[in-house]
Amino acid sequence: MEASIRSRTSPAWPYSIPRRVPVAAAKVLAVMRSSSAEVAQTPEKHIYALDVRRVRRVAAILGIVPPTSFCFAISASFTAEPVQPIIEFLGRRLNSAVDVRFAPYNQIIQTLLDPHSVFARNRHGMNVILLRLEDLGGDQAMEAHAAELLHLTRDRAEQFAVPLAIVLCPASPAFMSDPARARLQRGLCSRLEGWLDDLPGVQFLPSERVLQQYPVEAPHDPDADRLGHIPYSELYFCALGAALVRHAHAITVAPYKVIALDCDNTLWQGICGEDGPTGIVVDGARRALQEFMLEQREAGMLLALASKNNEQDVLDTFAANPQMPLELRHFVARRLNWEPKPSNLASLAAELGLGLDSFIFVDDSPKECAEMAGNAPEVLALPLPANIVHTPQFLAHVWAFDHPVVTEEDRQRNAYYAQSQKFGCEVKTAASLEEFVAGLQLDVKIAPVSTERLSRAAQLTQRTNQFNFTTLRRSERDIQGLSAMGRECFTVEVSDRFCSYGVTGVLILEASGAEITIDTFLLSCRVLGRGVEHRMLAWTGALAVERGAPVVVAHLHPTAKNTPAREFLHATGSDVEQRDNVGLVYRFDAERLRDLRWAAAISVPAPQRPTPAPHAPVRRAIDYAAIANELATPAQILEAMRRESGHAADRDHMTATERELAAIWSDLLKCPTVEVSDNFFDSGGHSLLAVLLIVRVREAFGIELPIDDVYSAALTLGELARKIETYRDSQLDPQEYEALLAEIEGMSDEEVQALLADEETLS
């Protein structure tokens, strides 16, 4: 039985019951039936109207939960909790709900093995190992433990539902001061990277990569390491948190595909129509911009020109400046005219067969970017910094340009599009479409997904929108896990007389008795119009016949973009088309499907487009420009976090020390209102925060507080401020002060009286 649940008080059911988990659906219906009304019934399903509040309670009892926030499950060899507020802060800047969970301290191997660990329970997010090699033990033990960790990672990672990131964190200066240990560190790092390179769903981030993105001059904090095994400074934790969130963002968000570039004062300094082709200047910042865009092209991005110019002026400028990194041949399309740029990008999108939400638009003019945002909000419009010198850093921190995985198909994408354009030109001049397709020498190879093609298959599920039956997004780990659920994944490799297009399609099938159900059927738009989709569906029919399944079932989940897939299915099976609660269902006769062949399109009216499912993926609005401008360094991130805390209390009645301490206190406890009488531990403080409080006081006041001063159940802000002032006014080191107090406490009453008498005599 399949359950479709509607709420009386909410237009969308916020909980997900898998279509093939009838037990869960039956439990919900059984529990809810007493307080609900059956509003519809068909031979295949019952539809109930339920009270949403009661549903939430029942769902919680049954373990059916709403879509969860993105979870960072972290296991570290050191105290890593200071990274949590950075991750949460950056999650808010991405308009994303983020949850951070920690495994027990220094139990990485146990976390990998435990079937109930935070790694095993993570269903939506990323598992993270933060490893400092020197924490694994002595020199010999370090290498043995690293090998054991690698073995367990290779053995256990495929059992987790989410990707695993292993971050190798910097060794301490004391450890690296020993040449032999430094060699061991470098060797193990190199071997770990090599060992993990071919492991699907596992990413390795060496410390150099983190510090390259977010440089920190002094990552280590030996005092915090000594007090609480917190080996790094706040700035390094900012760098680490930013690198983690940025990496997670890159592997989960739908990527952009095209960069449209302005010309004058963007690619070069000057106006080519006024200064002439030889009058423009390619300064250092703009040369860096061109080199950056060339790197993006090599990573698979398409480049286009969208500029208000006379076209010939731009062509002459490229011809007159061969020393520029970018050449005209690097651009797959161009719009050089005086039309509004939003209109030009819409025209480019139509030419390339892509949606506007695949475009990044880069211009030096904030006005042009504002016009783009207003008229084509799907486009990511990026105005370059007013100070052009900041352009390289700005581009390096626009997260939308990140590419965690670059496949061979990515590297060849521009060549594929060039061939597609040639294909389009020849189609227009062909005597007939049938004759043209017959002479294509089309070769379609469908094979089970291999390890080396797993990343490409996952990438296609995340990037393909137009010819995609269900638009289910899958990671490498997701695809690996499908086999355990009885599904098979196939890749589709295409070539014709124009070129080899590589892996451009994915098929995921599930066999169940007399049926084979298509879980995923997608094809890159650059090979559409050749009959590849017909070959794929015919191959599926042949497979069903071979396995004795007379029916092939295809589901269509309509979205704003997959009209080509909808029209193909309708043209192929309008006679078996039915509606269900999420879209359309097609039940094909397998033998008939096996004989499917390409034919020129017949005019068949497509059905009225069903309303897209409420869970259809939508790209979140993220202010990438603000992140690049304001959060490009660990210091900027730290300052922005502290500024966000607000520190809203009225502190006019506080001393200067109390006000500064209140800002630290408020930031650590995430409590904007702090009073002089507030108790640190009653306000949510704990031992880890106490260590961080000592570190922050040292940074702010130059005072090294004794642990006993902070680990006091009666600690209030006012009391701590007075202690800080006493230490500072006495000009004594706190340790010396503690020794002096101990000496006084050890004196007898007679000795104290004699000392006071001496003081009175001297005065």
Side-chain angles (χ1 to χ4, degrees):
M1 178 177 61
E2 181 176 316
S4 174
I5 301 179
R6 297 176 184 172
S7 162
R8 290 192 184 118
T9 58
S10 173
W13 160 247
Y15 297 79
S16 174
I17 299 179
R19 193 164 50 84
R20 296 181 179 82
V21 188
V23 174
K27 283 182 179 179
V28 171
L29 290 177
V31 175
M32 301 303 298
R33 187 168 290 161
S34 61
S35 62
S36 63
E38 186 172 327
V39 297
Q41 181 176 348
T42 71
E44 294 183 348
K45 71 184 77 150
H46 297 264
I47 300 176
Y48 289 80
L50 309 177
D51 180 271
V52 71
R53 288 168 296 182
R54 181 168 169 78
V55 167
R56 287 185 178 130
R57 290 196 296 271
V58 173
I61 293 170
L62 296 178
I64 303 168
V65 297
T68 57
S69 56
F70 190 95
C71 177
F72 287 87
I74 299 175
S75 183
S77 65
F78 52 86
T79 304
E81 278 76 1
V83 81
Q84 179 173 354
I86 293 97
I87 292 174
E88 292 172 341
F89 166 74
L90 290 170
R92 290 190 293 274
R93 295 303 293 263
L94 293 174
N95 298 318
S96 176
V98 170
D99 183 21
V100 184
R101 301 176 188 174
F102 290 93
Y105 166 78
N106 199 16
Q107 293 189 22
I108 295 175
I109 289 177
Q110 295 91 326
T111 304
L112 288 168
L113 289 171
D114 184 359
H116 304 291
S117 71
V118 292
F119 281 7
R121 297 197 310 268
N122 195 358
R123 291 292 180 269
H124 176 57
M126 185 170 74
N127 292 335
V128 180
I129 291 175
L130 301 179
L131 175 65
R132 192 172 67 152
L133 286 173
E134 65 192 87
D135 296 330
L136 297 180
D139 297 354
Q140 292 182 344
M142 184 191 307
E143 192 157 9
H145 287 159
E148 181 183 12
L149 176 61
L150 169 73
H151 173 75
L152 285 174
T153 299
R154 298 185 71 94
D155 182 53
R156 301 290 297 177
E158 65 181 21
Q159 301 180 32
F160 299 137
V162 300
L164 172 66
I166 300 180
V167 185
L168 193 62
C169 298
S172 66
F175 184 87
M176 295 298 286
S177 64
D178 183 321
R181 287 182 166 181
R183 285 193 299 272
L184 178 61
Q185 167 85 12
R186 289 191 293 268
L188 279 177
C189 179
S190 177
R191 273 179 278 171
L192 280 171
E193 187 164 16
W195 288 337
L196 297 171
D197 184 55
D198 63 342
L199 197 58
V202 178
Q203 292 87 34
F204 180 67
L205 278 71
S207 58
E208 293 80 8
R209 193 179 308 171
V210 174
L211 291 172
Q212 182 180 21
Q213 281 185 326
Y214 297 96
V216 178
E217 186 174 345
H220 297 89
D221 189 328
D223 295 319
D225 195 5
R226 172 177 52 83
L227 290 171
H229 200 198
I230 306 174
Y232 303 114
S233 66
E234 278 192 288
L235 286 178
Y236 180 77
F237 277 113
C238 285
L240 180 59
L244 287 175
V245 176
R246 185 168 178 173
H247 181 74
H249 170 270
I251 65 175
T252 56
V253 172
Y256 290 91
K257 301 177 182 179
V258 188
I259 305 172
L261 295 162
D262 175 52
C263 291
D264 292 336
N265 291 317
T266 297
L267 291 181
W268 51 72
Q269 179 185 347
I271 301 173
C272 63
E274 297 179 3
D275 301 320
T278 60
I280 60 96
V281 176
V282 182
D283 53 25
R286 291 178 176 87
R287 174 170 290 277
L289 181 147
Q290 291 197 27
E291 291 171 347
F292 179 87
M293 295 304 167
L294 195 56
E295 291 171 0
Q296 289 290 309
R297 182 181 184 274
E298 291 169 356
M301 296 290 282
L302 304 177
L303 300 184
L305 291 173
S307 189
K308 290 182 177 178
N309 290 92
N310 293 324
E311 183 171 25
Q312 194 58 49
D313 291 337
V314 173
L315 301 184
D316 292 344
T317 301
F318 274 99
N321 294 274
Q323 78 283 1
M324 291 195 306
L326 284 176
E327 304 172 22
L328 271 177
R329 64 183 179 86
H330 293 137
F331 297 91
V332 71
R334 59 179 183 257
R335 293 294 183 274
L336 303 170
N337 53 43
W338 299 98
E339 297 297 319
K341 292 183 179 180
S343 301
N344 277 335
L345 256 64
S347 174
L348 284 169
E351 176 182 334
L352 297 173
L354 298 170
L356 275 175
D357 62 350
S358 298
F359 280 72
I360 300 174
F361 172 64
V362 180
D363 199 309
D364 68 291
S365 169
K367 176 179 176 296
E368 293 284 3
C369 289
E371 182 181 346
M372 185 67 70
N375 292 283
E378 310 98 312
V379 176
L380 172 59
L382 296 175
L384 294 176
N387 186 344
I388 197 65
V389 173
H390 297 153
T391 294
Q393 177 173 280
F394 171 80
L395 294 173
H397 288 279
V398 174
W399 294 11
F401 288 131
D402 289 350
H403 305 283
V405 177
V406 178
T407 65
E408 184 59 30
E409 283 77 8
D410 291 328
R411 298 184 184 94
Q412 298 298 323
R413 182 167 290 113
N414 280 270
Y416 296 151
Y417 268 87
Q419 294 296 339
S420 294
Q421 289 173 319
K422 182 180 178 183
F423 174 91
C425 291
E426 291 202 19
V427 167
K428 293 176 183 178
T429 59
S432 71
L433 190 56
E434 290 84 352
E435 180 183 336
F436 177 79
V437 171
L440 267 178
Q441 301 171 22
L442 184 66
D443 185 23
V444 179
K445 295 177 181 176
I446 302 175
V449 64
S450 58
T451 301
E452 59 269 19
R453 289 182 170 177
L454 189 60
S455 61
R456 174 58 178 167
Q459 185 185 65
L460 280 168
T461 71
Q462 295 156 13
R463 298 178 68 106
T464 308
N465 297 307
Q466 296 187 68
F467 203 92
N468 192 333
F469 287 4
T470 55
T471 64
L472 295 172
R473 312 301 183 183
R474 294 255 169 64
S475 67
E476 295 178 33
R477 177 67 65 243
D478 294 334
I479 294 175
Q480 279 187 313
L482 290 177
S483 60
M485 301 170 62
R487 301 182 198 179
E488 298 174 84
C489 180
F490 302 90
T491 53
V492 182
E493 187 174 2
V494 178
S495 64
D496 59 24
R497 65 182 174 85
F498 289 94
C499 72
S500 172
Y501 301 93
V503 175
T504 53
V506 173
L507 263 174
I508 300 178
L509 307 175
E510 180 178 11
S512 177
E515 296 180 352
I516 284 185
T517 299
I518 298 174
D519 169 285
T520 295
F521 189 114
L522 62 85
L523 189 62
S524 172
C525 61
R526 68 172 180 259
V527 294
L528 290 178
R530 294 163 171 78
V532 179
E533 56 271 37
H534 299 76
R535 299 261 189 111
M536 290 169 64
L537 206 51
W539 182 89
T540 305
L543 182 69
V545 171
E546 178 186 328
R547 295 185 178 182
V551 177
V552 173
V553 181
H555 292 267
L556 177 80
H557 298 175
T559 71
K561 296 182 178 180
N562 68 354
T563 300
R566 177 174 61 90
E567 292 178 342
F568 167 70
L569 277 172
H570 180 70
T572 305
S574 59
D575 56 326
V576 296
E577 184 177 273
Q578 295 179 336
R579 293 187 181 276
D580 68 1
N581 58 327
V582 295
L584 299 170
V585 179
Y586 300 82
R587 302 180 64 82
F588 293 104
D589 177 88
E591 291 193 3
R592 170 190 163 194
L593 204 59
R594 178 183 58 182
D595 298 328
L596 180 66
R597 297 292 182 268
W598 178 90
I602 302 172
S603 179
V604 179
Q608 183 178 359
R609 181 177 163 191
T611 302
H615 59 272
V618 177
R619 193 193 298 278
R620 294 191 306 273
I622 298 172
D623 195 343
Y624 289 105
I627 292 174
N629 283 316
E630 301 166 11
L631 303 173
T633 68
Q636 286 179 319
I637 294 170
L638 185 58
E639 181 183 355
M641 283 177 53
R642 293 178 178 176
R643 191 166 56 245
E644 184 187 76
S645 297
H647 313 312
D650 179 9
R651 296 174 185 157
D652 291 341
H653 62 285
M654 295 183 179
T655 67
T657 301
E658 288 171 342
R659 283 195 295 273
E660 193 165 358
L661 185 60
I664 297 172
W665 200 300
S666 175
D667 188 42
L668 290 175
L669 299 175
K670 306 304 175 191
C671 179
T673 304
V674 179
E675 300 297 336
V676 174
S677 59
D678 284 350
N679 181 285
F680 184 77
F681 292 98
D682 289 346
S683 301
H686 48 73
S687 57
L688 172 60
L689 289 179
V691 172
L692 296 177
L693 178 60
I694 292 172
V695 173
R696 293 284 294 274
V697 166
R698 187 185 68 232
E699 291 177 354
F701 300 100
I703 299 295
E704 184 74 42
L705 289 172
I707 292 179
D708 289 345
D709 279 359
V710 177
Y711 281 85
S712 168
L715 179 67
T716 65
L717 186 142
E719 178 188 349
L720 187 59
R722 287 190 291 274
K723 287 179 179 291
I724 291 171
E725 289 171 347
T726 300
Y727 292 142
R728 187 168 53 191
D729 293 343
S730 68
Q731 300 299 310
L732 283 177
D733 180 90
Q735 302 299 332
E736 296 179 30
Y737 186 77
E738 284 293 301
L740 180 59
L741 286 178
E743 182 182 346
I744 293 173
E745 288 175 357
M747 296 173 68
S748 65
D749 291 343
E750 292 77 12
E751 289 172 327
V752 171
Q753 291 295 333
L755 182 61
L756 291 174
D758 290 342
E759 287 293 321
E760 290 175 0
T761 302
L762 290 172
S763 60

